[in-house]
């Protein structure tokens, strides 16, 4: 699944351009995560990226284009873990891989997950074009794989659509609500081991709920 980013051209990016765009996107991610779209300014992003504002506008013509680019990176990263899912896959192995991958994304890029969550909570206006007919067809294709496993008797008869929502919500929770988790558990921050333990717990619960045997 690909999300068009209006701020980018169609030519392959040079190494310098790619490096500068990565720097800008990281600075933008930090600001959008802290202040949201409305509370973030292009000037602040430029300062945090260590670039003149004019250079920032060279790569991204406006704040909306930059915001869409940040959202695009998040969603493409998440969706890539499901793109290769097929009916030939072993359900237990496929779900285990997916949960581990999503938990690792939550550990490494928690701010990106929070930006996406804030956008959806605020109405998801900037995601309207992304969640179009093509995306819905992609989503139905993932659900169809689960249904094929169910029909073949390799997985219990759970609702495929709600299973996907459960996978999304449970794995992203550890990024979006890390503050709550830390305060309730008395931790200063979630460590790599904390995330691995949480992932293993999710694997056990979700796979057993699907009638599958965890291999961890």
């Amino acid at each position: 699944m690909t999300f068009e980013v209006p701020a980018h051209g169609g030519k392959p990016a040079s190494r310098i351009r790619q490096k500068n765009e990565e720097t800008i996107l990281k600075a933008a991610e930090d600001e959008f995560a802290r202040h949201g779209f409305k509370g973030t300014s292009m000037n602040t992003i430029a300062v945090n990226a260590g670039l003149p504002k004019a250079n920032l506008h060279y790569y991204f013509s406006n704040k909306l284009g930059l915001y869409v680019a940040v959202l695009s990176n998040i969603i493409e990263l998440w969706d890539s873990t499901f793109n290769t899912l097929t009916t030939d896959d072993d359900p237990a192995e496929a779900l285990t891989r997916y949960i581990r991958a999503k938990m690792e994304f939550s550990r490494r890029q928690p701010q990106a997950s929070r930006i996406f969550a804030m956008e959806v909570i605020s109405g998801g206006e900037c995601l309207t074009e992304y969640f179009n007919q093509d995306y819905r067809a992609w989503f139905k294709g993932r659900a169809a794989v689960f249904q094929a496993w169910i029909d073949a008797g390799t997985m219990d008869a759970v609702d495929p659509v709600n299973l996907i929502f459960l996978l999304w919500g449970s794995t992203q929770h550890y990024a979006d609500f890390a503050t709550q988790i830390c305060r309730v558990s008395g931790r200063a921050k979630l460590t790599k081991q904390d995330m691995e333990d949480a992932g293993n717990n999710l694997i056990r619960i979700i796979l057993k709920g699907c009638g599958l045997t965890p291999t961890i």
Side-chain angles (χ1 to χ4, degrees):
M1 195 67 216
T2 302
F3 188 23
E4 293 295 327
V5 182
H8 289 191
K11 296 181 180 180
S14 66
R15 184 171 298 179
I16 294 176
R17 182 186 182 95
Q18 185 176 21
K19 181 179 179 181
N20 285 342
E21 286 188 354
E22 288 175 354
T23 300
I24 293 168
L25 288 171
K26 181 61 174 65
E29 183 181 300
D30 291 342
E31 287 301 304
F32 288 134
R34 288 194 187 96
H35 308 294
F37 177 75
K38 291 183 179 180
T40 295
S41 72
M42 291 288 274
N43 185 61
T44 303
I45 293 172
V47 170
N48 290 345
L51 294 170
K53 190 175 180 181
N55 286 31
L56 182 64
H57 283 287
Y58 172 78
Y59 292 103
F60 298 94
S61 59
N62 54 56
K63 185 170 71 169
L64 179 59
L66 179 51
Y67 182 65
V68 169
V70 170
L71 287 174
S72 169
N73 284 349
I74 299 165
I75 302 172
E76 287 180 0
L77 184 66
W78 288 342
D79 287 354
S80 68
T81 62
F82 248 3
N83 282 343
T84 59
L85 192 69
T86 72
T87 57
D88 294 329
D89 291 328
D90 177 84
E93 292 178 1
L95 288 174
T96 297
R97 284 196 304 269
Y98 182 74
I99 292 169
R100 289 197 191 286
K102 284 296 300 296
M103 289 298 289
E104 184 65 7
F105 293 151
S106 286
R107 184 181 76 84
R108 290 181 176 272
Q109 295 180 285
Q111 292 192 135
S113 183
R114 291 168 198 149
I115 294 168
F116 175 82
M118 286 193 296
E119 173 61 27
V120 172
I121 290 169
S122 65
E125 184 178 348
C126 292
L127 293 170
T128 300
E129 291 186 9
Y130 186 77
F131 293 135
N132 56 19
Q133 186 174 351
D134 288 342
Y135 187 87
R136 289 192 291 273
W138 175 88
F139 180 87
K140 289 179 181 178
R142 306 312 94 197
V145 172
F146 291 143
Q147 188 60 55
W149 290 338
I150 293 167
D151 294 341
T154 56
M155 189 170 84
D156 282 358
V158 298
D159 182 273
V161 170
N162 283 316
L163 175 57
I164 294 174
F165 292 154
L166 174 62
L167 290 166
W168 286 354
S170 60
T171 53
Q172 288 158 222
H173 177 87
Y174 288 88
D176 302 341
F177 295 96
T179 299
Q180 178 194 43
I181 294 170
C182 287
R183 289 184 178 178
V184 170
S185 63
R187 289 173 169 79
K189 66 177 182 178
L190 294 177
T191 65
K192 182 178 180 180
Q193 188 61 53
D194 289 332
M195 297 297 280
E196 288 180 359
D197 291 343
N200 288 336
N201 197 48
L202 287 178
I203 290 167
R204 292 189 187 96
I205 293 171
I206 293 174
L207 266 63
K208 287 186 176 182
C210 293
L212 302 171
T213 302
T215 57
I216 57 175

